[in-house]
Amino acid sequence: MSDSDCLFCKIANGEIPTDFLYEDDLVVAFRDINPLTPTHVLVVPKKHYDNICDNVPAETLAAIAHAVDVVTKAEGIDKTGYRCVTNTGDDGGQSVHHLHVHVLGGRKLRGDMGEGM
Ligand code: 5GP
Ligand code: ZN
């Protein structure tokens, strides 16, 4: 998929107006449109990568981790705990093929990693 057709490219570059909980030069964070948990935030690199293994630079991976740290503290879930998920490919349940990390928290999550969290 080309960047011009990509939903998260459009959100990250401001083409689709979205409230960002966090933004720096490399990443943005915004609420999932269909939250599965009381806090459900997506951390998304501004540049297009198909998934976590698409030659993502180390500084972008570090920026993602930093955004998770900032967002979880702002949401008050840094102490209670949360789950980070990056679905990859069809079997992984990836529906938007632009790397993103789900940050899920605000309630006790089920122990399994499958449907419904
Ligand atoms: P995936 O299924 O690829 O792991 O996750 C894609 C996520 O993007 C889903 O949780 C879905 O609810 C979310 N999503 C899809 N379209 C939009 C949108 O237009 N805005 C926002 N904020 N989230 C979206
Ligand atoms: Zn993209």
Side-chain angles (χ1 to χ4, degrees):
M1 176 182 286
S2 73
D3 292 9
S4 61
D5 293 331
C6 172
L7 173 64
F8 283 0
C9 281
K10 290 178 181 169
I11 289 177
N13 72 25
E15 201 176 320
I16 297 175
T18 303
D19 287 334
F20 294 146
L21 281 66
Y22 176 81
E23 178 177 14
D24 64 23
D25 290 347
L26 295 173
V27 304
V28 296
F30 52 89
R31 294 193 193 283
D32 196 292
I33 202 169
N34 181 28
L36 299 174
T37 50
T39 290
H40 187 170
V41 173
L42 302 172
V43 177
V44 177
K46 289 184 172 178
K47 206 168 159 219
H48 184 97
Y49 303 97
D50 288 347
N51 58 54
I52 192 75
C53 290
D54 187 14
N55 297 310
V56 186
E59 64 174 344
T60 300
L61 295 172
I64 290 170
H66 178 68
V68 170
D69 185 41
V70 172
V71 165
T72 53
K73 284 177 175 150
E75 293 287 299
I77 59 171
D78 56 310
K79 300 285 196 301
T80 50
Y82 53 89
R83 184 175 294 164
C84 293
V85 175
T86 183
N87 296 325
T88 305
D90 291 340
D91 281 3
Q94 184 177 11
S95 60
V96 178
H97 293 269
H98 175 133
L99 171 62
H100 53 283
V101 172
H102 297 257
V103 181
L104 299 144
R107 68 165 168 78
K108 189 94 174 162
L109 299 175
R110 298 218 306 258
D112 66 278
M113 300 286 287
E115 303 283 326
M117 297 292 171

